[in-house]
């Protein structure tokens, strides 16, 4: 379980870095761009993907391209969600996105969902409604817009991360291509797209190049990679008990994210938000229960 704990800490640290970058005036869009060179380098030197042995004709490029576009795009929405809705709501939205692939398995792939899965999904959807519940605001245009964004961005994170999970599951079905090799190729493609966006930010959007964003981005990429690495190690260490890894990871991130958000960043949560956090933990436990 030490691998699960490390993965949880790394996952929450990624969100904390994005929040700190915004607080210290570092452009988060540039931070996201520089996360990918580090992720690519660590994947290549630590996981050692077998790229030379793969034929280009066997690669599912449409699938890779979709993920390469969604990964940096979703990072932007995560950063916006942390900015407008807080770390707690964003972490809950990310963890509860697991319901989308479960629903896809039921509606698209004709899999049978057990009663506990359906109950967990129902409670999880209720948890989403409670955890991203909008704050009370005065009837001004500015606060009305903030109120709208406060609920919108966690919802986009919830949907987007769920779609990414479905696509990665489809990548895993290509058994002729090692998963690590697919992950490396997707990271490289995402890095190229991210650099294209960086060019747009600087030359079209007229943003100032930020050396601090490079530092934040490289650190972010290291923690993002470690999150994936130790999550994989946890599954390998407990091959007979994947539900333990799944439960520990999701509940750990929700709980630690809530503690960090409330204690260190003084995020204000309503009783409805706290109920959403409790319901999200309950839903994960129900889904993982065999």
């Amino acid at each position: 379980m030490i691998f699960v704990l490390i993965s949880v800490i790394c996952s929450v640290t990624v969100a904390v870095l994005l929040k700190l970058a915004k607080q210290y005036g570092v452009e988060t869009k540039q931070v996201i761009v520089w996360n990918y060179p580090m992720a690519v380098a660590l994947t290549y030197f630590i996981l050692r993907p077998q790229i030379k042995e793969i034929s280009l004709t066997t690669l599912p490029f449409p699938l890779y391209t979709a993920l390469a576009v969604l990964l940096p795009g979703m990072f932007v929405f995560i950063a916006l969600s942390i900015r407008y809705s807080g770390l707690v709501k964003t972490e809950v939205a990310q963890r509860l996105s697991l319901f989308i692939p479960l629903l896809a398995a039921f509606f698209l792939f004709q899999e049978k969902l057990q009663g506990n899965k359906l109950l967990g999904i129902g409670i999880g959807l209720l948890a989403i409604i409670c955890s991203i519940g909008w704050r009370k605001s005065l009837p001004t245009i500015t606060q009305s817009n903030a109120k709208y964004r406060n609920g919108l961005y966690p919802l986009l994170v919830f949907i987007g991360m769920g779609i990414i999970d479905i696509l990665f599951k489809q990548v895993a079905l290509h058994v002729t291509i090692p998963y690590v090799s697919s992950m490396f190729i997707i990271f490289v493609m995402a890095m190229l797209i991210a650099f294209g966006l960086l060019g747009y930010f600087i030359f079209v959007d007229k943003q100032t190049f930020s050396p601090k964003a490079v530092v934040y981005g490289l650190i972010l990429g290291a923690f993002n990679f470690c999150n994936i690495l130790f999550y994989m190690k946890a599954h390998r260490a407990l091959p007979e008990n994947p539900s333990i890894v799944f439960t520990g990871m999701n509940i750990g991130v929700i709980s630690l994210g809530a503690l960090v958000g409330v204690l260190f960043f003084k995020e204000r949560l309503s009783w409805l938000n706290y109920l959403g956090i409790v319901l999200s933990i309950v839903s994960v436990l129900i889904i993982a229960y065999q």
Side-chain angles (χ1 to χ4, degrees):
M1 291 299 290
I2 188 65
F3 292 143
V4 174
L5 178 60
I6 296 173
S7 183
V8 166
I9 293 172
C10 290
S11 178
V12 174
T13 302
V14 167
V16 169
L17 285 169
L18 287 171
K19 191 171 183 71
L20 288 175
K22 188 62 186 177
Q23 284 188 350
Y24 288 104
V26 181
E27 180 53 63
T28 52
K29 292 178 182 177
Q30 293 189 35
V31 171
I32 292 165
V33 169
W34 291 106
N35 140 78
Y36 285 102
M38 178 61 79
V40 167
L42 291 175
T43 302
Y44 181 79
F45 289 110
I46 294 179
L47 299 182
R48 299 291 183 180
Q50 303 299 318
I51 303 299
K52 295 180 180 179
E53 301 176 3
I54 298 176
S55 172
L56 292 177
T57 57
T58 63
L59 296 178
F61 276 112
L63 197 56
Y64 287 177
T65 302
L67 281 166
V69 172
L70 280 172
L71 286 174
M74 194 47 52
F75 248 128
V76 172
F77 283 122
I78 289 172
L80 289 171
S81 180
I82 292 172
R83 175 182 177 183
Y84 290 108
S85 303
L87 188 145
V88 178
K89 296 179 181 180
T90 304
E91 290 290 15
V92 170
Q94 285 190 76
R95 293 300 120 190
L96 291 185
S97 65
L98 63 97
F99 303 128
I100 292 180
L102 284 176
L103 290 172
F106 179 69
F107 289 107
L108 299 180
F109 305 115
Q110 308 302 316
E111 294 183 17
K112 292 183 178 180
L113 290 182
Q114 299 173 345
N116 64 305
K117 296 278 195 302
L118 292 173
L119 178 61
I121 290 172
I123 294 176
L125 293 176
L126 183 60
I128 281 286
I129 295 172
C130 293
S131 63
I132 66 175
W134 291 347
R135 299 171 185 163
K136 294 179 180 179
S137 60
L138 297 175
T140 64
I141 294 177
T142 302
Q143 291 187 347
S144 178
N145 291 338
K147 178 181 176 182
Y148 173 73
R149 292 189 296 245
N150 182 45
L152 174 64
Y153 289 126
L155 185 61
L156 290 175
V157 170
F158 168 73
I159 295 171
M161 293 303 294
I163 293 173
I164 287 174
D165 195 7
I166 293 173
L167 294 178
F168 266 121
K169 281 179 169 57
Q170 294 302 304
V171 169
L173 293 178
H174 291 267
V175 293
T176 57
I177 305 171
Y179 190 75
V180 170
S181 299
S182 291
M183 192 168 67
F184 176 74
I185 295 171
I186 292 167
F187 279 164
V188 170
M189 294 175 66
M191 180 181 68
L192 296 176
I193 291 173
F195 277 136
L197 290 174
L198 179 63
Y200 175 84
F201 296 150
I202 293 175
F203 297 110
V204 179
D205 207 25
K206 304 301 181 182
Q207 290 184 12
T208 303
F209 177 77
S210 173
K212 289 183 179 179
V214 178
V215 177
Y216 270 90
L218 294 177
I219 297 173
L220 180 73
F223 279 102
N224 193 26
F225 171 81
C226 288
N227 170 34
I228 297 171
L229 175 65
F230 285 102
Y231 187 63
M232 291 169 59
K233 283 182 175 291
H235 274 294
R236 289 175 182 174
L238 297 168
E240 304 298 325
N241 297 284
S243 62
I244 293 178
V245 178
F246 166 83
T247 307
M249 181 66 187
N250 286 281
I251 291 179
V253 170
I254 292 170
S255 304
L256 183 59
L259 285 173
V260 172
V262 172
L263 296 180
F264 291 94
F265 294 107
K266 309 301 180 183
E267 294 182 4
R268 294 183 179 180
L269 300 178
S270 66
W271 68 268
L272 195 63
N273 299 148
Y274 282 112
L275 176 61
I277 293 171
V278 173
L279 288 175
S280 65
I281 293 175
V282 171
S283 67
V284 170
L285 286 171
I286 291 174
I287 288 175
Y289 174 73
Q290 300 296 326

